[in-house]
Amino acid sequence: MIDYMQFCTVARGAEVLGELWTPLVVRELLCGSHRFNDIHRGVPRMSATLLTQRLRKLEEIGVVERRRVEKTWEYHLTPAGEELRPIVVGLGHWGARWIGSRLRHEQLDAGFLMWDIRRFAQLEEFPDEERTVVHFRFSDAPVAERQWWLVVEHHEADLCRDDPGHDVSVLVDSTVRALTEIWTGDSAPEQEIQSGDLKVQGAGRNGQRLWRWLGRSMFAPTRMAQGNPE
């Protein structure tokens, strides 16, 4: 645990929020993940043991409360935890404004990208009358993370790593970097299509409807305001 050995409340607050992975765990809770496995999907490179430790610590200091729901446990932010929302969201916008992506290869993560896309998909934009299946194929991801299926039906989204067996509505062939940079607002679909790093079959010319369905990261508008492609 970080210990600055100061009475200053900035130091004491940083001792909590400044621990490795803790801001991202809080981010997951703020984004609506409540069950352990869902939280872990948002921090896939964090060990389950360390996640357990961080949740326990947040519970001890009154930022998180654990609730029994049916046959499982859920984690919810307390009022103290909710007060971290403008801090964590503000940090994300600051990063988008001043740092941008600048991603190294080892920072690219197909699993986290797809999880983020799934939870922020613009469900109201998908067709009401039919099931929509978007099949993503990443040419450069680890073998276990190369194929994903986003299934949207009745305004609910499900993310699958195994073929769900439904007819595919849209096929997306991409590098992890290309789709990540579209998602973060650092690039535009047309730019990645022109470069050859992205191909979309279905959803209109250049997948126009697809981008309306998926939207972008919650921090993308800030990044795009810095002069990146629309």
Side-chain angles (χ1 to χ4, degrees):
M1 176 179 174
I2 301 172
D3 190 343
Y4 291 111
M5 303 296 289
Q6 288 190 359
F7 65 83
C8 171
T9 52
V10 173
R12 297 180 69 192
E15 287 172 1
V16 174
L17 199 59
E19 279 198 301
L20 183 64
W21 292 108
T22 296
L24 303 190
V25 173
V26 173
R27 177 200 68 194
E28 291 307 302
L29 292 163
L30 288 169
C31 287
S33 295
H34 299 297
R35 297 190 176 187
F36 186 92
N37 287 341
D38 287 342
I39 298 170
H40 198 213
R41 291 181 79 173
V43 284
R45 298 183 183 181
M46 183 183 189
S47 72
T49 300
L50 184 55
L51 176 56
T52 299
Q53 293 173 0
R54 292 292 188 265
L55 287 169
R56 186 178 297 124
K57 180 63 179 179
L58 290 170
E59 189 176 1
E60 287 174 359
I61 63 176
V63 171
V64 168
E65 64 178 5
R66 193 168 54 136
R67 303 176 187 170
R68 188 71 175 177
V69 179
E70 296 177 350
K71 295 183 179 180
T72 189
W73 290 99
E74 289 188 353
Y75 298 87
H76 292 261
L77 291 169
T78 64
E82 276 294 333
E83 283 196 13
L84 292 172
R85 185 178 296 275
I87 297 172
V88 174
V89 172
L91 182 61
H93 285 297
W94 180 87
R97 182 173 295 110
W98 297 107
I99 299 175
S101 291
R102 303 179 190 173
L103 295 172
R104 301 188 305 273
H105 177 74
E106 60 270 21
Q107 292 175 315
L108 297 170
D109 189 324
F112 174 65
L113 171 63
M114 291 308 307
W115 180 242
D116 216 31
I117 287 174
R118 178 261 180 197
R119 66 183 170 191
F120 289 117
Q122 306 297 300
L123 299 180
E124 69 283 357
E125 296 287 347
F126 282 80
D128 289 328
E129 67 280 0
E130 60 189 48
R131 177 194 298 123
T132 303
V133 180
V134 184
H135 183 189
F136 295 86
R137 301 191 301 200
F138 293 109
S139 59
D140 56 346
V143 174
E145 297 186 350
R146 285 188 180 173
Q147 299 201 66
W148 302 80
W149 287 262
L150 179 67
V151 182
V152 178
E153 190 172 15
H154 303 310
H155 298 291
E156 293 186 1
D158 190 20
L159 182 63
C160 307
R161 295 178 68 168
D162 296 316
D163 189 346
H166 304 310
D167 291 338
V168 172
S169 311
V170 184
L171 177 62
V172 180
D173 286 298
S174 180
T175 64
V176 178
R177 181 178 296 278
L179 192 58
T180 298
E181 292 192 349
I182 292 170
W183 181 245
T184 59
D186 277 276
S187 187
E190 295 79 8
Q191 180 178 334
E192 299 303 330
I193 289 171
Q194 186 174 8
S195 73
D197 289 331
L198 172 70
K199 295 180 182 178
V200 181
Q201 298 179 41
R205 189 166 187 263
N206 292 338
Q208 289 177 347
R209 291 196 302 276
L210 174 66
W211 312 117
R212 188 172 70 248
W213 296 343
L214 299 185
R216 294 196 183 189
S217 161
M218 64 184 295
F219 303 114
T222 297
R223 185 61 189 155
M224 293 163 69
Q226 298 302 106
N228 289 284
E230 291 291 338

